[in-house]
Amino acid sequence: MLTCAQVCIPQDFALSLDLGPGDGIDRASADRIAAWAARVPTDGNSAGIALQHAALETAPEPALVVVLRSDRPFRAPDIFPEMSEDTTFAAPDIRLGDGGRLLWARIPFTNFDDAANSVAVTVTDGHRAASLERTALGAQVPPPPYERAIAGASLGTLLNMAIVALIGGLILNVMPCVLPVLSVKLSSAMKVGAQGAARVRAGFLMASAGIIAFMWALAGVTLALRQAGLSVGWGIQFQNPVFLAIMTLLVVLFAANMFGLFEITLPQSWTSRLAAASGQPTFAGDFFTGAFAAVLATPCSAPFLGTAVAFALAGRPVDIFVIFTAMGLGLALPYFAVAARPGLVASLPKPGRWMIVVKAALGLLLAGTAAWLLWVLAGVGGRETAIAVTAALTLAVALLALRLPETGGLRRLRGAAVAGLAALAIAAPLVIDSRIAGASRIAEGQEIDWIPFDRGDIARRVSRGQIVFLDITADWCITCKANKTLVINRDPVAGILNGGGDVVPMQADWTRPDDRIARFLRDHGRYGIPFNAVYGPEAPDGVLLPEVLTADLVLDALRKAGGDAVTDLARAN
């Protein structure tokens, strides 16, 4: 039989009953047996129901679509498909047509066995029930008898969510991923600090425009992917090795420029037109700086941001553009503040030797970001890809360094740069190999014995009285890393998760694309990570945690899900 809560779990029972000799008929038991026997599904011919068609749908998510015909109208039907022991389903979308005699149903998978190629269906309609013969899956997906109208959010709701997105975008400026973004911001401020107020204002407004333009581009790509039936979420571009390689190249070039290894110069005629032959930064550079800062901020998830992104990705195209615009405005608020008060830049010290030290420090921050991107690339694209990108970057920057003039200070700088690059080229394969081997977990302090993510296993364990702490993470999610370092891998949380017994830590790795994880997040109204939830006997539907964790939040969720048993564990730790 199938035992169902949020998902249905196949279970087997061996039942037996010893009947002693009797001296007559037990009328009450006979009537009870007859009443329940009448509810046992008959075959399709007896019930007047036939399974006309069944097919697999792949977009917008994997699902089974079936069409049934009845000789009399359905009134309150329900449907129960069976494919294989490892295939489970979510709630069906049932639509009736042809005066109620046609039943069209779409049943999303929660777990799908690729080897399954046929389906058996049981349909109920009040006291009428039929078990239909197993049929092979067809290639053509039948259309529904009608399309459901999706009600759009009201103007007030949209405005409220835009405010939430604005706050989330502003908070992104102080999240753990802010260091590389801060480097770009400070670099921009240093470039225009010695110029007039009008130039400072225009430059920071152009940087703000770059942030918002990137958010609009991200909204457009999101809509295109959703239209194509692909899973979308916040930060999933970091699952693409090509994107990671390009981002690594850009960050390395920024770092090399900070170290003074090269300067990009334009033809004299262009320079005269763009900067009046003064060598000052251009508006195009300011625009690119803003867009680049926005790109580097996307691996982070901030408070309020998850709510806003979930609202946008579950809504209409206008909802996506409004929410992404609001996030961009929030992220750009510091730029707008400087544009409104250009005198803030003037408070920086006057240009001098200190700028060389600051630029070197900013270069180191960007170099650290490049190392992190290579580390993520090793997990997403594999060892060979990461080593190939490292070798290409080393060669490119070495060629740039060799172009430095033959002056004393620059000669020493060039020698140090080439030596550092050689050390990087030698050490990179070792670092990447250690990352592939899982040494990153040890460096991270990760000692929790996680079990792999299995949606059905959550319900099974909860039915046995266990508590499941679910962590959906990825190598590119910096907020996830912060949560682990500051909360999950420390006592008292780590002590409870490692305590064995009734608390089970379960982890899903979304570093690479995984439709199972994407569907699970979407079913819970989330489109980004980190995602943490606690399931238990007292909370079978789960207690969802916010993006940024604290020990008190986790312990409170564990208590809500498991009651006194968790309280005793917390005291012990």
Side-chain angles (χ1 to χ4, degrees):
M1 63 180 292
L2 295 177
T3 305
C4 306
Q6 293 299 307
V7 297
C8 293
I9 309 302
Q11 290 185 294
D12 297 319
F13 297 92
L15 304 177
S16 63
L17 177 65
D18 292 330
L19 296 176
D23 55 3
I25 296 177
D26 183 346
R27 294 293 181 185
S29 296
D31 291 342
R32 188 178 185 188
I33 291 172
W36 284 99
R39 301 186 64 175
V40 174
T42 62
D43 61 32
N45 292 330
S46 302
I49 302 174
L51 177 59
Q52 283 194 333
H53 192 73
L56 289 180
E57 184 179 73
T58 57
E61 62 182 348
L64 172 70
V65 178
V66 296
V67 176
L68 286 74
R69 277 280 181 182
S70 173
D71 59 3
R72 62 181 187 266
F74 290 105
R75 298 188 180 277
D78 204 351
I79 188 168
F80 304 90
E82 295 178 78
M83 294 183 67
S84 72
E85 187 174 345
D86 296 326
T87 302
T88 55
F89 299 91
D93 172 13
I94 298 176
R95 309 184 197 184
L96 300 178
D98 193 17
R101 290 179 172 82
L102 180 143
L103 185 153
W104 179 95
R106 181 180 181 276
I107 313 104
F109 294 105
T110 55
N111 191 59
F112 177 54
D113 181 3
D114 293 336
N117 55 13
S118 62
V119 62
V121 174
T122 299
V123 61
T124 65
D125 188 27
H127 290 293
R128 185 168 64 137
S131 290
L132 308 178
E133 291 185 6
R134 183 170 289 271
T135 184
L137 298 175
Q140 185 174 4
V141 178
Y146 60 88
E147 296 291 343
R148 293 188 184 274
I150 300 176
S154 65
L155 180 60
T157 301
L158 182 57
L159 290 176
N160 288 336
M161 293 306 301
I163 294 173
V164 171
L166 181 75
I167 297 172
L170 178 61
I171 295 176
L172 271 180
N173 286 281
V174 294
M175 293 303 291
C177 52
V178 77
L179 285 179
V181 181
L182 181 61
S183 299
V184 177
K185 288 180 179 179
L186 289 177
S187 173
S188 177
M190 289 167 56
K191 289 179 181 178
V192 300
Q195 302 176 45
R199 177 62 182 86
V200 171
R201 179 179 290 112
F204 276 85
L205 287 176
M206 285 299 295
S208 303
I211 293 174
I212 296 172
F214 169 77
M215 287 298 180
W216 284 348
L218 193 59
V221 171
T222 298
L223 280 174
L225 292 175
R226 195 171 74 172
Q227 189 68 24
L230 300 177
S231 298
V232 293
W234 181 253
I236 62 171
Q237 66 271 25
F238 281 80
Q239 296 175 342
N240 187 316
V242 175
F243 173 83
L244 288 171
I246 294 173
M247 286 301 302
T248 306
L249 171 63
L250 293 176
V251 172
V252 167
L253 290 178
F254 264 79
N257 182 258
M258 289 289 183
F259 288 130
L261 297 185
F262 76 98
E263 293 288 344
I264 298 176
T265 58
L266 297 175
Q268 184 63 35
S269 59
W270 290 18
T271 305
S272 300
R273 293 179 183 178
L274 295 176
S278 62
Q280 301 293 357
T282 65
F283 289 134
D286 294 325
F287 182 90
F288 176 76
T289 297
F292 187 63
V295 172
L296 289 178
T298 53
C300 275
S301 183
F304 300 98
L305 193 62
T307 301
V309 170
F311 172 83
L313 297 184
R316 304 160 296 174
V318 65
D319 299 330
I320 291 178
F321 274 98
V322 169
I323 297 304
F324 277 58
T325 300
M327 283 193 290
L329 290 172
L331 186 59
L333 275 180
Y335 286 92
F336 284 124
V338 176
R341 296 289 301 274
L344 293 174
V345 175
S347 62
L348 292 172
K350 298 298 181 182
R353 295 182 61 86
W354 67 271
M355 293 183 65
I356 299 175
V357 178
V358 172
K359 288 185 69 174
L362 297 180
L364 288 174
L365 288 175
L366 288 170
T369 303
W372 169 71
L373 287 170
L374 281 172
W375 183 78
V376 174
L377 180 60
V380 174
R383 175 181 183 274
E384 293 77 10
T385 301
I387 291 177
V389 171
T390 302
L393 291 174
T394 303
L395 177 61
V397 178
L399 292 175
L400 291 172
L402 292 173
R403 295 178 62 247
L404 288 172
E406 291 289 336
T407 59
L410 289 178
R411 187 184 300 115
R412 287 191 295 270
L413 178 60
R414 180 177 64 185
V418 172
L421 289 169
L424 174 64
I426 295 171
L430 301 177
V431 173
I432 293 169
D433 279 344
S434 69
R435 186 260 175 273
I436 297 297
S440 57
R441 291 180 177 267
I442 299 173
E444 191 179 277
Q446 179 65 280
E447 299 175 355
I448 295 174
D449 188 17
W450 298 98
I451 66 172
F453 170 70
D454 183 338
R455 185 172 189 164
D457 194 34
I458 296 175
R460 281 192 289 268
R461 291 180 179 276
V462 170
S463 69
R464 296 198 293 262
Q466 292 182 310
I467 302 159
V468 178
F469 177 83
L470 175 63
D471 176 47
I472 300 182
T473 184
D475 287 342
W476 43 263
C477 175
I478 302 179
T479 309
C480 303
K481 301 298 180 186
N483 284 337
K484 286 182 178 59
T485 302
L486 300 176
V487 178
I488 297 176
N489 291 343
R490 292 188 178 185
D491 286 332
V493 175
I496 293 176
L497 296 182
N498 281 330
D502 292 335
V503 181
V504 178
M506 179 181 290
Q507 189 173 77
D509 188 353
W510 208 30
T511 300
R512 299 184 181 185
D514 189 320
D515 288 339
R516 295 179 309 126
I517 298 174
R519 287 197 301 271
F520 183 86
L521 289 172
R522 186 166 58 249
D523 291 344
H524 285 75
R526 296 281 187 91
Y527 292 85
I529 54 175
F531 176 92
N532 295 100
V534 181
Y535 300 84
E538 304 297 324
D541 294 335
V543 179
L544 302 188
L545 292 165
E547 288 88 350
V548 179
L549 300 180
T550 65
D552 289 339
L553 285 172
V554 175
L555 294 178
D556 185 56
L558 288 168
R559 292 188 190 99
K560 289 179 180 177
D564 296 337
V566 176
T567 301
D568 296 338
L569 277 173
R571 289 172 181 163
N573 289 276

